[in-house]
Amino acid sequence: MQYTTHYASPLGTITLASDGNAVIGLWFDGQKHDRSILTPECQELYVPVFAEAAEWLDCYFAGCEPDFTPALALDCSTFRHEVMEILMRIPYGQVTTYGEIAKEIARKRGLQNMSAQAVGGAVGWNPISLMIPCHRVVGTGGSLTGYGGGIQRKLALLKLEKADTAALFIPKKGTAL
């Protein structure tokens, strides 16, 4: 069974989803892939893991790095899981690129290269945004691309984390907008 609840953040309402034991989804309402993993039987019901998730979000939106993460559960391919593990290791207030993640996976797998676009697809799939910090991934050269919650939110999240955003920019054209 799946359950949802809502959290009022400074950047808009967030929907949290759980399987009853772990967080399985966290989306800004209306974002790309919003609720795409939920089944028709999903119920709006406050389960205990939501209290821990709300505590994490309260800490995060207060401008602090949470020192814990609620239980998370992902139902995904091995490749997506690899990408999510790398996202979880991006330090608070730091950014990396899709290309750097692709290089890390290629090294780990003993390959000469890996597609940054494939990494972008996996990052874009992330159903547990913020807790799995996909907003910390930028395009080569500092382009603020590919955040399902919107580029302005991505920038706001990075500023909340006091990331150095001086070299980052919003592209004037392309698929990120």
Side-chain angles (χ1 to χ4, degrees), residues 2-15:
Q2 296 175 330
Y3 307 96
T4 60
T5 194
H6 302 283
Y7 176 88
S9 89
L11 298 177
T13 302
I14 289 173
T15 295

Side-chain angles (χ1 to χ4, degrees), residues 64-127:
C64 302
E65 179 180 6
D67 61 359
F68 70 98
T69 303
L72 307 177
L74 293 166
D75 183 16
C76 62
S77 68
T78 301
F79 177 71
R80 284 180 173 173
H81 202 272
E82 280 182 272
V83 172
M84 297 303 114
E85 286 177 351
I86 292 169
L87 295 180
M88 294 288 293
R89 293 194 312 264
I90 304 169
Y92 181 89
Q94 305 280 323
V95 297
T96 192
T97 66
Y98 299 97
E100 287 302 313
I101 294 172
K103 286 178 190 173
E104 184 174 338
I105 291 173
R107 271 193 307 273
K108 182 179 173 185
R109 291 182 168 195
L111 302 172
Q112 284 197 298
N113 57 44
M114 168 67 61
S115 166
Q117 288 79 13
V119 168
V123 171
W125 166 85
N126 177 16

Side-chain angles (χ1 to χ4, degrees), residues 14-34:
I14 289 173
T15 295
L16 289 159
S18 172
D19 61 7
N21 298 307
V23 173
I24 62 169
L26 188 161
W27 311 274
F28 285 101
D29 285 1
Q31 82 175 50
K32 187 177 179 183
H33 305 300
D34 183 6

Side-chain angles (χ1 to χ4, degrees), residues 19-55:
D19 61 7
N21 298 307
V23 173
I24 62 169
L26 188 161
W27 311 274
F28 285 101
D29 285 1
Q31 82 175 50
K32 187 177 179 183
H33 305 300
D34 183 6
R35 298 176 183 88
S36 63
I37 65 166
L38 299 181
T39 63
E41 296 80 25
C42 183
Q43 298 177 22
E44 186 153 337
L45 181 71
Y46 200 84
V47 295
V49 73
F50 289 148
E52 195 175 351
E55 183 181 344

